[in-house]
Amino acid sequence: MSSPLWFGGDYNPEQWPEEVQAEDVELMRRAGVNLVTVGVFSWALLEPKEGEYRFEWLDRVLDRLADAGIGVALATPTASPPPWFGLAHPDAMPVTADGTRLTHGSRDTYDVCSPAYREASVRIARALAERYSGHPALRLWHVHNEYGTWSHSEHTAGAFRDWLRGRHVDLDRLNAAWTTAFWSQHYSEWEQIQPPRATQYLPNPAHVLDFRRFLSDAMLDHFLSQRDVLRAVRPDVPVTTNLAFGDWVPVDPWRWAEHLDLVAVDDYPDRTGQGGAEQTAFAADLARSWAERVPGPGRPWLLMEQAAGVTYTGEVTRPKAPGETARHSLAHVARGSRGAMFFQWRASRGGAEQWHSGMVPHAGPDSRIFREVCELGSVLPRVAEARDADVVADAALTWDPECWWALGSPSLPARGVDYLEAARQVHRVLWRSGRTVDMVRPDRDLPRVPLLVVPALYLLSDEAAERLARYTEDGGTLVVTFLSGAADPDGTVRTGGYPGALRDLLGVRVEEVHPLLPGDAVGVDLGSVREEVTLWSEHVHLAGAEAVAHYAGGPLDGLPAVTRRRHGAGEAWYLSARLSDRGLARLLAEAAGTGPFPEPGLEVVRRVDRDGAWVFVTNHDNRPRWIDPARFGLDAGARDLVSGVSAQGMTLPGGGVAVLRGHPVDN
């Protein structure tokens, strides 16, 4: 029998009276919930005074859930210290870049480098572990919540200097890496180095980049201190933390994944419809790829948080379309998630997130949202047999959070360069063409897929450049976009012409960059089709490559815009400008030697193991679509696990999802 998929969400029973908690359990059973996260923001109730614990209320909650057969991801509450902590340890509060010390009044009011905070975190983690390690409801340890709080305090300054000694060894190497000869920034003593606090003009980008790297490691160290306590008490229970996503998060998930028992992510698309589906697929492919670094087999990861029934656009909260919650959830499951979780179970009546969605909304169980939650809860057990099957990817995309951080510097030639958007554009173009995408780090082993796209990989080591060359030499098709390879891992620009470390592989030398003003565009001839490019263009010289497309008009008229060079058994392409989605789709199809995907509007993800294959098919059209198992490489006996009917000749309604179970056949 296959292992179940986890289904549930953050549960905050301390916000509700006992009678509501009793109703919660009955509603959870009705919905098919089998896992809830408890205690994330409960520190003030668990430890109302320093060293004085009150566990009785949590005992009752866990006992009630265990009696109902509902598992618990028990959280350490260290993301939200209680009021007494800030009063007792004011130096443990975070300090902003301008020197303001923040006070209690929100969550995330802590300095991760403060000894008092570190000690208090380990203490509460140990108390929880000792009391609940043998509880029958325990399924998972959930450490902290969405690591990401910055601090520029004196505690941070001392820890930063220690980290810099480990990375650079001595001041001569640090000064060279940071180019401190510029603007008289040379450091002669370690004590002169501070976190990148508010300053007169532009900060040193290498200083800022190293500080983000340091923060990631400092937060990881805080996580590990709790993880080790939990493992020591109950080593067979997995330990994780939920990774948030945003440019404000100084966390490198590639590095963190090596220390997790499974990768857990929060995903909140800010678009609905196809845009939301594209963002969902991007987040899921990232999480699955990060999970490649988790020790042991299986690439385990979990969608820990999402919004039930609504989308937060940044300006308004919009209802999701009917069935969209299930489509987003199953898109994550298709790409390897061990389940579908939400924030939160029941929408809060008060507090800062009182209008955040819940599986049980303010309207109560007699609501569209809860009915859709129940429907999803009935579908997940039917598709759980695919839980451990491998996801089949046929393209890959480099992803490097340090490049995202570095390209956020205000010292670049164009401030409109957006690393996240560059990566998302490539991913959505591949998604629309029917491809499933692996994300890769260029300094690790690259995947065996026929197409690898490298968007704006600004920081690139010599070793990573050699890996890309070997990938191409072995027969892969490599597509590199502008700003890749321009700087080394310290952020120092490589001289001699761009794209720096990739010049020889690509067979080009860029003499000048020509960023475009907002609203401006220039033409590029892609064969018989003319496309417009925005944001960026370059003066490219051929140095072994051939021109595939040329600029049309403007100062670069007639010069190469897209190039191609044979390298070993493969090809290395270079795109020197930002194409539209349509233009990029044409280019990638030509580079990969494929035509358009024959089933536009269908999202298809394939999973396989030695027992067979599962194909997740989502219809993003409003009109029904006829499904042919052979089209997806399955035998005629394939069945749809969602509906329970034969997949032969079935019709998938608009917005519907099918999971076809069958055996692979040769096309």
Side-chain angles (χ1 to χ4, degrees), residues 328-344:
H328 288 179
S329 299
L330 291 171
H332 282 277
V333 171
R335 289 168 171 80
S337 175
R338 297 296 176 89
M341 305 285 285
F342 294 84
F343 184 87
Q344 57 183 324

PDB file of all heavy atoms in Angstrom, residues 328-344:
ATOM      1  N   HIS A 328      -3.928  24.136  -8.288  1.00  0.00           N
ATOM      2  CA  HIS A 328      -2.633  24.524  -7.743  1.00  0.00           C
ATOM      3  C   HIS A 328      -2.062  23.409  -6.866  1.00  0.00           C
ATOM      4  O   HIS A 328      -0.866  23.095  -6.942  1.00  0.00           O
ATOM      5  CB  HIS A 328      -2.764  25.804  -6.932  1.00  0.00           C
ATOM      6  CG  HIS A 328      -2.995  27.028  -7.768  1.00  0.00           C
ATOM      7  ND1 HIS A 328      -3.150  28.280  -7.217  1.00  0.00           N
ATOM      8  CD2 HIS A 328      -3.076  27.205  -9.106  1.00  0.00           C
ATOM      9  CE1 HIS A 328      -3.333  29.168  -8.180  1.00  0.00           C
ATOM     10  NE2 HIS A 328      -3.302  28.537  -9.334  1.00  0.00           N
ATOM     11  N   SER A 329      -2.896  22.819  -6.021  1.00  0.00           N
ATOM     12  CA  SER A 329      -2.425  21.762  -5.134  1.00  0.00           C
ATOM     13  C   SER A 329      -1.918  20.560  -5.913  1.00  0.00           C
ATOM     14  O   SER A 329      -0.839  20.015  -5.632  1.00  0.00           O
ATOM     15  CB  SER A 329      -3.549  21.334  -4.190  1.00  0.00           C
ATOM     16  OG  SER A 329      -3.975  22.414  -3.374  1.00  0.00           O
ATOM     17  N   LEU A 330      -2.686  20.128  -6.899  1.00  0.00           N
ATOM     18  CA  LEU A 330      -2.300  18.955  -7.681  1.00  0.00           C
ATOM     19  C   LEU A 330      -1.112  19.238  -8.588  1.00  0.00           C
ATOM     20  O   LEU A 330      -0.358  18.319  -8.930  1.00  0.00           O
ATOM     21  CB  LEU A 330      -3.492  18.445  -8.483  1.00  0.00           C
ATOM     22  CG  LEU A 330      -4.605  17.830  -7.622  1.00  0.00           C
ATOM     23  CD1 LEU A 330      -5.850  17.553  -8.445  1.00  0.00           C
ATOM     24  CD2 LEU A 330      -4.110  16.537  -6.960  1.00  0.00           C
ATOM     25  N   ALA A 331      -0.907  20.499  -8.977  1.00  0.00           N
ATOM     26  CA  ALA A 331       0.295  20.843  -9.734  1.00  0.00           C
ATOM     27  C   ALA A 331       1.540  20.610  -8.886  1.00  0.00           C
ATOM     28  O   ALA A 331       2.581  20.158  -9.384  1.00  0.00           O
ATOM     29  CB  ALA A 331       0.234  22.294 -10.205  1.00  0.00           C
ATOM     30  N   HIS A 332       1.457  20.928  -7.593  1.00  0.00           N
ATOM     31  CA  HIS A 332       2.573  20.645  -6.696  1.00  0.00           C
ATOM     32  C   HIS A 332       2.753  19.140  -6.517  1.00  0.00           C
ATOM     33  O   HIS A 332       3.882  18.631  -6.545  1.00  0.00           O
ATOM     34  CB  HIS A 332       2.338  21.315  -5.344  1.00  0.00           C
ATOM     35  CG  HIS A 332       2.627  22.782  -5.329  1.00  0.00           C
ATOM     36  ND1 HIS A 332       3.895  23.282  -5.169  1.00  0.00           N
ATOM     37  CD2 HIS A 332       1.812  23.859  -5.455  1.00  0.00           C
ATOM     38  CE1 HIS A 332       3.857  24.607  -5.193  1.00  0.00           C
ATOM     39  NE2 HIS A 332       2.604  24.979  -5.358  1.00  0.00           N
ATOM     40  N   VAL A 333       1.666  18.421  -6.321  1.00  0.00           N
ATOM     41  CA  VAL A 333       1.754  16.974  -6.160  1.00  0.00           C
ATOM     42  C   VAL A 333       2.331  16.339  -7.421  1.00  0.00           C
ATOM     43  O   VAL A 333       3.166  15.424  -7.347  1.00  0.00           O
ATOM     44  CB  VAL A 333       0.375  16.391  -5.817  1.00  0.00           C
ATOM     45  CG1 VAL A 333       0.405  14.860  -5.873  1.00  0.00           C
ATOM     46  CG2 VAL A 333      -0.071  16.863  -4.437  1.00  0.00           C
ATOM     47  N   ALA A 334       1.907  16.809  -8.580  1.00  0.00           N
ATOM     48  CA  ALA A 334       2.422  16.273  -9.837  1.00  0.00           C
ATOM     49  C   ALA A 334       3.938  16.391  -9.898  1.00  0.00           C
ATOM     50  O   ALA A 334       4.627  15.510 -10.429  1.00  0.00           O
ATOM     51  CB  ALA A 334       1.793  17.005 -11.018  1.00  0.00           C
ATOM     52  N   ARG A 335       4.466  17.484  -9.350  1.00  0.00           N
ATOM     53  CA  ARG A 335       5.915  17.739  -9.420  1.00  0.00           C
ATOM     54  C   ARG A 335       6.657  17.217  -8.198  1.00  0.00           C
ATOM     55  O   ARG A 335       7.815  17.557  -8.009  1.00  0.00           O
ATOM     56  CB  ARG A 335       6.150  19.232  -9.618  1.00  0.00           C
ATOM     57  CG  ARG A 335       5.749  19.693 -11.007  1.00  0.00           C
ATOM     58  CD  ARG A 335       5.688  21.206 -11.143  1.00  0.00           C
ATOM     59  NE  ARG A 335       5.509  21.579 -12.539  1.00  0.00           N
ATOM     60  CZ  ARG A 335       4.340  21.551 -13.169  1.00  0.00           C
ATOM     61  NH1 ARG A 335       3.244  21.206 -12.504  1.00  0.00           N
ATOM     62  NH2 ARG A 335       4.256  21.880 -14.445  1.00  0.00           N
ATOM     63  N   GLY A 336       6.006  16.401  -7.390  1.00  0.00           N
ATOM     64  CA  GLY A 336       6.726  15.686  -6.363  1.00  0.00           C
ATOM     65  C   GLY A 336       6.389  15.995  -4.926  1.00  0.00           C
ATOM     66  O   GLY A 336       6.939  15.379  -4.010  1.00  0.00           O
ATOM     67  N   SER A 337       5.497  16.974  -4.656  1.00  0.00           N
ATOM     68  CA  SER A 337       5.176  17.287  -3.270  1.00  0.00           C
ATOM     69  C   SER A 337       4.552  16.084  -2.567  1.00  0.00           C
ATOM     70  O   SER A 337       3.732  15.367  -3.158  1.00  0.00           O
ATOM     71  CB  SER A 337       4.221  18.483  -3.190  1.00  0.00           C
ATOM     72  OG  SER A 337       3.825  18.716  -1.856  1.00  0.00           O
ATOM     73  N   ARG A 338       4.916  15.899  -1.305  1.00  0.00           N
ATOM     74  CA  ARG A 338       4.364  14.805  -0.510  1.00  0.00           C
ATOM     75  C   ARG A 338       2.971  15.128   0.018  1.00  0.00           C
ATOM     76  O   ARG A 338       2.449  14.416   0.878  1.00  0.00           O
ATOM     77  CB  ARG A 338       5.298  14.492   0.658  1.00  0.00           C
ATOM     78  CG  ARG A 338       6.695  14.002   0.224  1.00  0.00           C
ATOM     79  CD  ARG A 338       6.630  12.676  -0.513  1.00  0.00           C
ATOM     80  NE  ARG A 338       7.903  12.232  -1.001  1.00  0.00           N
ATOM     81  CZ  ARG A 338       8.768  11.477  -0.318  1.00  0.00           C
ATOM     82  NH1 ARG A 338       8.485  11.111   0.911  1.00  0.00           N
ATOM     83  NH2 ARG A 338       9.896  11.089  -0.860  1.00  0.00           N
ATOM     84  N   GLY A 339       2.371  16.202  -0.474  1.00  0.00           N
ATOM     85  CA  GLY A 339       1.028  16.552  -0.058  1.00  0.00           C
ATOM     86  C   GLY A 339       0.706  17.981  -0.398  1.00  0.00           C
ATOM     87  O   GLY A 339       1.413  18.643  -1.163  1.00  0.00           O
ATOM     88  N   ALA A 340      -0.396  18.469   0.176  1.00  0.00           N
ATOM     89  CA  ALA A 340      -0.854  19.841  -0.055  1.00  0.00           C
ATOM     90  C   ALA A 340      -1.328  20.401   1.276  1.00  0.00           C
ATOM     91  O   ALA A 340      -2.325  19.944   1.834  1.00  0.00           O
ATOM     92  CB  ALA A 340      -1.975  19.871  -1.091  1.00  0.00           C
ATOM     93  N   MET A 341      -0.605  21.398   1.765  1.00  0.00           N
ATOM     94  CA  MET A 341      -0.922  22.024   3.046  1.00  0.00           C
ATOM     95  C   MET A 341      -1.281  23.489   2.817  1.00  0.00           C
ATOM     96  O   MET A 341      -0.972  24.060   1.760  1.00  0.00           O
ATOM     97  CB  MET A 341       0.280  21.920   3.990  1.00  0.00           C
ATOM     98  CG  MET A 341       0.799  20.500   4.198  1.00  0.00           C
ATOM     99  SD  MET A 341      -0.256  19.510   5.258  1.00  0.00           S
ATOM    100  CE  MET A 341       0.147  20.226   6.859  1.00  0.00           C
ATOM    101  N   PHE A 342      -1.918  24.093   3.820  1.00  0.00           N
ATOM    102  CA  PHE A 342      -2.414  25.462   3.693  1.00  0.00           C
ATOM    103  C   PHE A 342      -2.053  26.275   4.929  1.00  0.00           C
ATOM    104  O   PHE A 342      -1.798  25.750   6.001  1.00  0.00           O
ATOM    105  CB  PHE A 342      -3.939  25.468   3.547  1.00  0.00           C
ATOM    106  CG  PHE A 342      -4.454  24.848   2.286  1.00  0.00           C
ATOM    107  CD1 PHE A 342      -4.633  23.469   2.191  1.00  0.00           C
ATOM    108  CD2 PHE A 342      -4.777  25.634   1.178  1.00  0.00           C
ATOM    109  CE1 PHE A 342      -5.114  22.883   1.031  1.00  0.00           C
ATOM    110  CE2 PHE A 342      -5.252  25.060   0.022  1.00  0.00           C
ATOM    111  CZ  PHE A 342      -5.417  23.682  -0.056  1.00  0.00           C
ATOM    112  N   PHE A 343      -2.046  27.589   4.774  1.00  0.00           N
ATOM    113  CA  PHE A 343      -2.151  28.493   5.912  1.00  0.00           C
ATOM    114  C   PHE A 343      -3.471  29.240   5.734  1.00  0.00           C
ATOM    115  O   PHE A 343      -3.626  29.980   4.763  1.00  0.00           O
ATOM    116  CB  PHE A 343      -0.988  29.497   5.978  1.00  0.00           C
ATOM    117  CG  PHE A 343      -1.075  30.353   7.206  1.00  0.00           C
ATOM    118  CD1 PHE A 343      -0.515  29.932   8.397  1.00  0.00           C
ATOM    119  CD2 PHE A 343      -1.760  31.552   7.189  1.00  0.00           C
ATOM    120  CE1 PHE A 343      -0.624  30.704   9.542  1.00  0.00           C
ATOM    121  CE2 PHE A 343      -1.886  32.329   8.331  1.00  0.00           C
ATOM    122  CZ  PHE A 343      -1.304  31.897   9.503  1.00  0.00           C
ATOM    123  N   GLN A 344      -4.347  29.047   6.637  1.00  0.00           N
ATOM    124  CA  GLN A 344      -4.309  28.187   7.787  1.00  0.00           C
ATOM    125  C   GLN A 344      -5.593  27.361   7.811  1.00  0.00           C
ATOM    126  O   GLN A 344      -6.395  27.437   6.882  1.00  0.00           O
ATOM    127  CB  GLN A 344      -4.162  29.030   9.055  1.00  0.00           C
ATOM    128  CG  GLN A 344      -5.267  30.084   9.243  1.00  0.00           C
ATOM    129  CD  GLN A 344      -5.071  30.951  10.470  1.00  0.00           C
ATOM    130  OE1 GLN A 344      -4.604  30.483  11.511  1.00  0.00           O
ATOM    131  NE2 GLN A 344      -5.438  32.210  10.366  1.00  0.00           N
TER     132      GLN A 344
END
